Amino acid sequence: MDADCVIVGAGPAGLAAAVTARHLGLDNVVVLERCRLPRDKICAGGLTPKTVKVLTGLGLATLLQREAHMITGLRVTASSDFQFVITPTEPSFVLPRFYLDRELADRASALGVRLIDGSSAQPVMDDMGGVTGVTAAGELYRAPIIIAADGTHRLFSSRKAERSLLHGCMARFKGPVANPGFVEMIFTPAVKPHYCWVFPESENMINIGLCVARADQGETGIRQLWAEVLSTSLAGRVEGMEQCGPLLFHPLITSPRVRHDALPGVFLAGEACGLVNQFTGEGISSALISGGLAAETSVQGLRDGLTYKETERLYLAALKHALNPGLILGSILTRTAAVIMNSRFLRSCFRRAKLSVAQYLTRL
């Protein structure tokens, strides 16, 4: 089957690319998704002001009003003597990925994008190692534009083994939420230099999770770590609440800066490109932005008669301009967080600088 654009992955990156491609006038846009839609994903669901602006530009402002839970503050805790509250100056929300991905898929479908779910995609290569098409469910799809937003699967990456992984786990709890307007980042020695989170999804539902970079622990070790922090650092947050469903696990591919290690002929977007912040684990805004940029630059390159390499350079430059500042700062904070949390003097200095921290966290 021939198309104008084939996109692998129906998460925020892939669907943002699909919507943008249709806005730019491509008639035949196909999205291939390995899971059945709608589907959920392990994700805290925080929507920063930057994310809200991108979603509004994609035509999803009503989704935030209808489904999202508004956030009025962020509480950061590292110890009993190191806590502060940040009040965002622009709207922030929490929205489970089930609803976000479903609405993005509905938006794409309404624009005429063809969504094919339950279909695992594989690249079709030429003799030179370039990707010329995609196979899924026995069908061959060819297009001048191929965008891979397949997350941690990274089937279209040229450096599959070179990953910087965080390992996350999350569970939901039902019951009265003590501070339904606040999200929390809780830094504890058990997970340093990363953190535990508490994100309210409504006045009677929260999701709680943690991220660690210890690949050697495996699922069993992370489960034990979860039990430890739930009974200590997080004990007060779940008092009087009941866990809904199992503890869920998911890896995150992070990066200290923008890289585009794609197979020739493909544009990577979102987590497939490693565009997850090493410090916060946030990747929704990067996914949406990179998906839109992948569509914009590839369409521009096609219409201007550019080669793949020329278009890739345009895309990489756009990614670096949009995302490198946040990724680089996240990498720096990850390397320094453990040192800061172990030093009373540095914690004091860090507390005095909390305005700068607030500006960083609320602009991701």
Side-chain angles (χ1 to χ4, degrees):
M1 173 183 176
D2 291 333
D4 296 323
C5 177
V6 173
I7 299 164
V8 179
L15 292 171
V19 171
T20 303
R22 286 293 294 126
H23 284 166
L24 292 172
L26 296 191
D27 294 324
N28 192 353
V29 179
V30 177
V31 176
L32 304 171
E33 167 59 41
R34 63 189 296 271
C35 298
R36 291 291 181 185
L37 299 174
R39 56 102 168 96
D40 204 357
K41 182 181 177 180
I42 303 166
C43 178
L47 304 180
T48 63
K50 180 191 292 187
T51 311
V52 171
K53 290 178 182 177
V54 178
L55 288 172
T56 301
L58 292 172
L60 294 178
T62 57
L63 165 68
L64 302 175
Q65 300 167 2
R66 186 177 68 252
E67 301 283 1
H69 181 72
M70 181 171 281
I71 297 303
T72 57
L74 164 65
R75 179 178 290 109
V76 178
T77 302
S79 65
S80 59
D81 67 333
F82 182 40
Q83 301 181 33
F84 59 85
V85 171
I86 298 168
T87 302
T89 57
E90 299 176 89
S92 301
F93 300 87
V94 172
L95 180 68
R97 279 288 299 275
F98 175 87
Y99 298 108
L100 175 61
D101 290 13
R102 183 191 66 185
E103 293 294 323
L104 280 167
D106 288 347
R107 174 65 175 157
S109 294
L111 292 172
V113 173
R114 185 182 177 193
L115 290 172
I116 303 172
D117 61 359
S119 301
S120 295
Q122 293 290 334
V124 176
M125 317 281 288
D126 61 21
D127 294 337
M128 302 297 292
V131 177
T132 60
V134 179
T135 59
E139 183 84 34
L140 172 61
Y141 298 88
R142 294 189 184 277
I145 296 173
I146 300 174
I147 297 172
D150 55 338
T152 56
H153 301 285
R154 300 187 79 196
L155 296 174
F156 298 79
S157 172
S158 61
R159 297 176 182 263
K160 296 180 179 62
E162 295 187 17
R163 298 183 178 190
S164 179
L165 278 175
L166 292 180
H167 297 264
C169 66
M170 186 189 86
R172 288 186 168 91
F173 291 80
K174 188 175 183 180
V177 178
N179 297 294
F182 278 80
V183 298
E184 293 189 72
M185 297 173 65
I186 303 165
F187 293 86
T188 173
V191 299
K192 69 181 181 182
H194 301 287
Y195 64 94
C196 308
W197 73 77
V198 180
F199 277 40
E201 296 179 359
S202 68
E203 293 188 355
N204 59 9
M205 181 75 74
I206 58 174
N207 71 65
I208 295 180
L210 59 84
C211 283
V212 292
R214 304 172 206 173
D216 58 318
Q217 286 197 344
E219 184 175 313
T220 300
I222 295 174
R223 191 180 293 275
Q224 293 171 346
L225 180 61
W226 165 263
E228 175 189 336
V229 298
L230 195 64
S231 63
T232 54
S233 303
L234 299 175
R237 276 73 173 181
V238 298
E239 185 175 355
M241 305 189 79
E242 179 181 357
Q243 184 172 331
C244 305
L247 180 63
L248 304 172
F249 299 85
H250 188 69
L252 296 168
I253 300 177
T254 69
S255 178
R257 60 183 55 83
V258 171
R259 288 173 52 176
H260 188 250
D261 300 319
L263 294 174
V266 176
F267 300 93
L268 301 178
E271 197 172 356
C273 198
L275 301 177
V276 174
N277 190 287
Q278 288 188 335
F279 182 64
T280 66
E282 201 280 333
I284 295 177
S285 65
S286 296
L288 293 167
I289 291 169
S290 62
L293 289 174
E296 289 174 5
T297 53
S298 58
V299 170
Q300 177 186 344
L302 182 65
R303 290 174 174 169
D304 291 348
L306 303 181
T307 65
Y308 167 74
K309 279 295 184 183
E310 290 171 332
T311 306
E312 185 189 32
R313 284 195 290 270
L314 287 178
Y315 178 47
L316 184 58
L319 283 180
K320 288 181 176 180
H321 177 75
L323 302 177
N324 249 353
L327 292 177
I328 292 171
L329 183 55
S331 176
I332 293 170
L333 287 175
T334 298
R335 293 196 298 268
T336 58
V339 177
I340 291 172
M341 300 311 166
N342 286 334
S343 167
R344 181 171 295 180
F345 170 73
L346 289 176
R347 287 203 305 268
S348 175
C349 296
F350 196 66
R351 189 184 301 111
R352 294 190 187 101
K354 69 181 182 180
L355 177 60
S356 298
V357 177
Q359 291 173 338
Y360 166 69
L361 292 173
T362 57
R363 282 168 169 74
L364 287 175

